[in-house]
Amino acid sequence: MKLSVEQIHSLIRDVPDFPKPGILFKDITPVLSDAAAFASLADHLAERIPAGTTKLASIESRGFLLGAAVAMRRGLGLVLIRKPGKLPYSTFSHSYDLEYGRDTLQIHVDALSNEDRVCIVDDVLATGGTAAAAEVLCTETGATVTGSVFLLELGFLNGRQKLKSSADALIRL
Ligand code: AMP
């Protein structure tokens, strides 16, 4: 049986002050450990992938779990966007500002080509810095970004304003 988005939402656990004080962490592990909920989540996300998308790109590390499940459902290849030093071949890097400090993400230089139309998949859209960096990296490979799809968007952080392509989320808070 396919669970509704509301039923999936009810399984997401709020963990206050993780990983640091003031952050309300959205813990998706109860969704992943429930077979029906995980399969339903993948189905809902797969329905939101824009038409014409040729590949998915997902962001370390919870994004990998969702990206892989959606890629299987849509018959699409999956490209990994990772923290520095994790990808073995030549990479493009992009650094971006966090609330405190900076972070960097990388993609393999040949992960995508200029014929690819790629959609970014991740669990949470918060301030948008991570997804915006993923957009930059995908574009650097020559690909066109068709959009990004999230399980959950923290709308009050206005993350989608940082994105050049259209963002979609199953749940908007
Ligand atoms: P941001 O760059 O601020 O949009 O943060 C997005 C990344 O951080 C995503 O890959 C999320 O997995 C993670 N993240 C940010 N805020 C939260 C939160 N409140 N709960 C869970 N994950 C979060």
Side-chain angles (χ1 to χ4, degrees):
M1 192 196 69
K2 185 172 171 185
L3 273 67
S4 66
V5 170
E6 292 69 31
Q7 287 172 310
I8 295 168
H9 187 186
S10 71
L11 291 171
I12 298 174
R13 176 167 54 193
D14 283 351
V15 183
D17 299 320
F18 183 87
K20 53 187 175 186
I23 305 279
L24 184 62
F25 192 84
K26 298 293 180 180
D27 177 17
I28 67 164
T29 60
V31 181
L32 301 177
S33 66
D34 179 319
F38 191 11
S40 304
L41 169 58
D43 286 339
H44 285 293
L45 291 170
E47 288 163 9
R48 307 287 187 113
I49 303 302
T53 297
T54 62
K55 284 210 171 80
L56 302 181
S58 62
I59 306 166
E60 186 164 359
S61 59
R62 288 177 298 280
F64 290 173
L65 304 168
L66 304 186
V70 176
M72 290 290 140
R73 274 167 173 66
R74 291 295 299 253
L76 295 172
L78 180 66
V79 167
L80 306 185
I81 295 176
R82 301 206 64 178
K83 306 233 167 83
K86 301 284 189 185
L87 289 170
Y89 186 60
S90 304
T91 56
F92 291 125
S93 295
H94 184 72
S95 297
Y96 56 102
D97 289 324
L98 299 172
E99 200 176 347
Y100 300 102
R102 276 172 85 71
D103 221 339
T104 302
L105 287 172
Q106 297 183 324
I107 192 170
H108 274 152
V109 292
D110 61 351
L112 298 161
S113 77
N114 53 14
E115 289 176 2
D116 279 314
R117 296 175 54 77
V118 62
C119 178
I120 294 157
V121 177
D122 202 5
D123 62 337
V124 175
L125 175 64
T127 66
T130 307
E135 276 188 334
V136 170
L137 289 168
C138 289
T139 305
E140 214 167 343
T141 65
T144 302
V145 179
T146 57
S148 51
V149 176
F150 304 89
L151 162 55
L152 201 146
E153 174 182 0
L154 304 177
F156 54 92
L157 293 174
N158 296 318
R160 62 173 57 226
Q161 287 179 6
K162 286 209 183 84
L163 302 178
K164 293 200 169 64
S165 59
S166 64
D168 196 3
L170 298 184
I171 302 161
R172 287 186 191 164
L173 299 179

